[in-house]
Amino acid sequence: MAKLKTKWVCQTCGYETFSYLGRCPDCGNFSTFCEEVVQSAVELKSNSSPSLILNSALRAKRIDEVSSDEKIRIKTDMEEFDRVLGGGFVLGSLVLLAGDPGIGKSTLILQTCRNITKDGKTALYVCAEESEQQVKLRAKRLKVEGKNLYVTSQNCLEELLVQLDEIKPDFLVVDSIQAVFSSQISSSSGSVSQIRECTNILMRIAKQKNITTVIIGHVTKEGNIAGPKVLEHMVDTVVNFEGDRYKSYRVLRSIKNRFGTTMEVGVFNMEDDGLSEVKNPSELFLNPFEENNCGCSTIATLEGTRVLLLEIQSLTGTTPYPNPRRVARGIEYNRLLQILAVLEKRVGINLSKQDVYVNVIGGIDIDEPAVDLGVALAVISCARDIPLKRKTVIAGEIGLSGEIRAVDNIEKRLKEAQKLGFECAIIPKTQKDLNLSKFDLKIVQVAKLTDAIKAAFEK
Ligand code: TYD
Ligand code: MG
């Protein structure tokens, strides 16, 4: 097959050249050139011939003629994964599964293949990074059997398309997109243009042949999905697989989903025989010690539709520096600064000569304001060296005048706390739609931060 003609295009200003340049002569930015395929005039013309457009299903319809059936979903048989996807893989969609090397992406997707092929569907697993034997070894560990799962280590996309026609799978996995290449482009596999072109082709195939496709992508040191940002725009769904490599649990989070919410998370535990679902993650993250330590509080936060009870830890100490340090892990940095400012102004706790560290246990990022009160109480507990009341769960947003503001879904949060054996809850007074008689908890409703402090530290 003849090589395609390519050009180099600056991704910032669109300047074009026929060879790679380190710095764009037009806009002056460095390392912004990407290789792109030059389409000849003949090709462009044939692509847009009127007969082709008329025959296609993409012809304009009146909106009331468009069928509104929920697209058929393929269930992964793993509740945690299905929920993150919005109820399973949508037929013919392209999903990008991204994560650090070694986090367990291949394991998760092989388990998914195992479950999907159980009820007669066919899957093709392209292990472009590993040999078929290596995949077989992993498959043995994961107890993958079945005649409907095909494996190939072919990493040339054009050859793969031939195999696709033969096998006609319902489900296709490309592990990883950085390791496959199209022979139409001269740059090496993993380069921006290869990744983009291969994804483009896979997207077209997925839609045309209704093959649900998952592409696996590595994450760079900076935490971006390797390859251009366009990769995220091209696919239907982007799912991130995260976690601490030295701990066994992993968090699956959707960061883009054309067919569902991006609020959901799924939690898994890496074990000897693969990933197991963690149905109740709060138990995993909570402190097993009965006694509360100084500087610790437990909050009830919402991750998508699910309540997570998480422990917040805080440490304060006299600073040796002119500017005290503020470190926030798991909560937004500016949120911490705001909470500290309210503590100083409305409660009179002076932390201007103290370093403050706040950490959410479990490596979970919380971005809802309901975390405020828990953080404030953890900081006060450490600064004053007194532990919070035992088995107390906290939820509430702090306003700038020190008032505690209502949070969403309070009954759901309280229910979860009760289920896990908590005895007391400190929540906002302004909370509506709350039926206290439903709960077997001591519920303290507070209007001001000062009231919350009283409630949290009284014996
Ligand atoms: P892998 O799925 O190969 O990661 P990725 O594809 O994201 O690079 O899994 C990597 C780690 O998972 C590896 O260090 C070993 C561990 N692992 C288990 O602990 N149990 C298992 O059953 C399997 C298959 C892997
Ligand atoms: Mg892998």
Side-chain angles (χ1 to χ4, degrees):
M1 207 181 281
K3 283 251 173 334
L4 288 183
K5 223 169 145 188
T6 59
K7 62 185 173 187
W8 292 83
V9 183
C10 171
Q11 300 297 299
T12 311
C13 68
Y15 183 86
E16 294 182 5
T17 151
F18 283 102
S19 59
Y20 177 77
L21 294 179
R23 181 172 190 238
C24 177
D26 197 16
C27 66
N29 283 316
F30 288 93
S31 308
T32 54
F33 279 90
C34 284
E35 197 182 15
E36 286 183 6
V37 178
V38 183
Q39 270 193 313
S40 69
V42 182
E43 263 178 348
L44 282 175
K45 211 172 155 199
S46 70
N47 276 349
S48 58
S49 77
S51 63
L52 199 122
I53 293 170
L54 280 179
N55 287 338
S56 95
L58 299 175
R59 190 173 168 168
K61 295 186 190 88
R62 278 208 333 255
I63 187 113
D64 56 353
E65 288 170 1
V66 180
S67 88
S68 59
D69 297 348
E70 164 77 340
K71 286 221 172 193
I72 305 157
R73 304 239 181 199
I74 300 183
K75 299 269 182 203
T76 64
D77 233 6
M78 287 185 268
E79 216 182 281
E80 298 290 303
F81 201 175
D82 281 344
R83 202 185 41 248
V84 172
L85 292 168
F89 288 104
V90 170
L91 209 66
S93 64
L94 184 68
V95 177
L96 170 66
L97 173 65
D100 288 329
I103 206 77
K105 300 181 293 301
S106 306
T107 310
L108 177 70
I109 217 66
L110 200 57
Q111 278 179 253
T112 308
C113 287
R114 176 190 66 190
N115 295 352
I116 285 177
T117 51
K118 258 187 207 154
D119 44 313
K121 293 198 174 62
T122 315
L124 173 62
Y125 183 95
V126 181
C127 49
E129 281 181 353
E130 296 161 303
S131 70
E132 286 141 15
Q133 286 74 18
Q134 281 170 319
V135 175
K136 175 78 191 173
L137 278 178
R138 186 181 296 126
K140 261 192 185 158
R141 250 173 108 168
L142 303 176
K143 303 191 181 60
V144 179
E145 345 162 325
K147 300 180 183 79
N148 294 330
L149 176 59
Y150 293 81
V151 183
T152 170
S153 55
Q154 177 63 257
N155 56 3
C156 171
L157 200 64
E158 281 71 24
E159 302 278 339
L160 271 176
L161 297 186
V162 178
Q163 298 199 23
L164 268 184
D165 278 339
E166 279 170 18
I167 299 171
K168 297 198 172 52
D170 302 294
F171 190 68
L172 168 71
V173 176
V174 179
D175 185 0
S176 67
I177 191 70
Q178 277 93 4
V180 292
F181 69 92
S182 161
S183 55
Q184 306 263 315
I185 295 180
S186 57
S187 58
S188 60
S189 56
S191 69
V192 170
S193 50
Q194 281 287 7
I195 291 177
R196 199 155 62 159
E197 193 58 25
C198 292
T199 310
N200 233 332
I201 296 172
L202 288 168
M203 183 69 163
R204 266 205 310 269
I205 302 285
K207 303 284 165 203
Q208 268 171 14
K209 303 196 172 169
N210 238 355
I211 301 175
T212 308
T213 309
V214 177
I215 55 179
I216 293 183
H218 292 298
V219 167
T220 57
K221 259 193 216 144
E222 294 79 39
N224 299 319
I225 298 165
K229 202 76 181 154
V230 285
L231 196 58
E232 282 183 37
H233 300 309
M234 282 156 74
V235 301
D236 294 316
T237 304
V238 183
V239 185
N240 252 354
F241 205 31
E242 307 163 355
D244 194 333
R245 209 179 317 166
Y246 304 102
K247 301 227 176 85
S248 63
Y249 61 83
R250 307 275 186 267
V251 178
L252 194 66
R253 188 189 295 276
S254 105
I255 51 175
K256 166 185 172 178
N257 196 348
R258 284 190 181 145
F259 313 109
T261 160
T262 54
M263 313 264 291
E264 300 289 354
V265 294
V267 183
F268 293 87
N269 204 17
M270 181 62 97
E271 289 165 10
D272 281 346
D273 55 351
L275 290 155
S276 67
E277 294 177 77
V278 179
K279 297 264 166 70
N280 196 347
S282 303
E283 280 173 358
L284 189 75
F285 298 135
L286 283 182
N287 188 353
F289 300 113
E290 277 285 288
E291 202 53 50
N292 252 2
N293 294 326
C294 292
C296 294
S297 67
T298 308
I299 55 141
T301 180
L302 269 182
E303 278 280 359
T305 54
R306 188 163 60 177
V307 176
L308 278 184
L309 296 194
L310 295 173
E311 195 183 329
I312 307 265
Q313 286 196 326
S314 146
L315 185 69
T316 60
T318 313
T319 183
Y321 306 109
N323 295 324
R325 294 192 71 181
R326 308 284 184 238
V327 178
R329 286 182 63 197
I331 66 163
E332 218 186 306
Y333 179 71
N334 287 330
R335 183 165 292 282
L336 174 63
L337 296 188
Q338 186 179 315
I339 294 169
L340 297 182
V342 174
L343 279 181
E344 181 161 355
K345 183 80 183 170
R346 308 290 174 200
V347 189
I349 294 177
N350 188 356
L351 296 162
S352 61
K353 299 275 185 296
Q354 306 262 311
D355 288 334
V356 178
Y357 300 84
V358 170
N359 183 27
V360 179
I361 301 292
I364 302 265
D365 283 328
I366 311 173
D367 59 359
E368 68 155 352
V371 67
D372 289 359
L373 188 54
V375 173
L377 293 178
V379 171
I380 298 171
S381 159
C382 189
R384 294 194 175 162
D385 226 1
I386 29 175
L388 257 82
K389 216 159 62 170
R390 277 186 54 213
K391 297 197 172 173
T392 300
V393 68
I394 301 156
E397 177 182 351
I398 300 179
L400 290 185
S401 54
E403 83 277 19
I404 308 297
R405 309 181 73 102
V407 297
D408 288 341
N409 286 308
I410 191 71
E411 288 203 348
K412 223 172 171 182
R413 298 179 204 245
L414 292 175
K415 225 195 254 165
E416 180 75 13
Q418 185 168 321
K419 205 168 89 192
L420 288 173
F422 280 81
E423 288 164 2
C424 178
I426 301 177
I427 62 167
K429 193 162 205 163
T430 49
Q431 207 68 51
K432 292 192 186 95
D433 317 327
L434 173 64
N435 183 358
L436 289 176
S437 60
K438 271 193 195 168
F439 300 97
D440 192 16
L441 283 166
K442 183 183 173 209
I443 297 175
V444 189
Q445 290 194 278
V446 293
K448 292 255 161 218
L449 188 50
T450 40
D451 302 340
I453 296 171
K454 244 186 252 156
F457 296 105
E458 74 178 15
K459 288 289 167 203

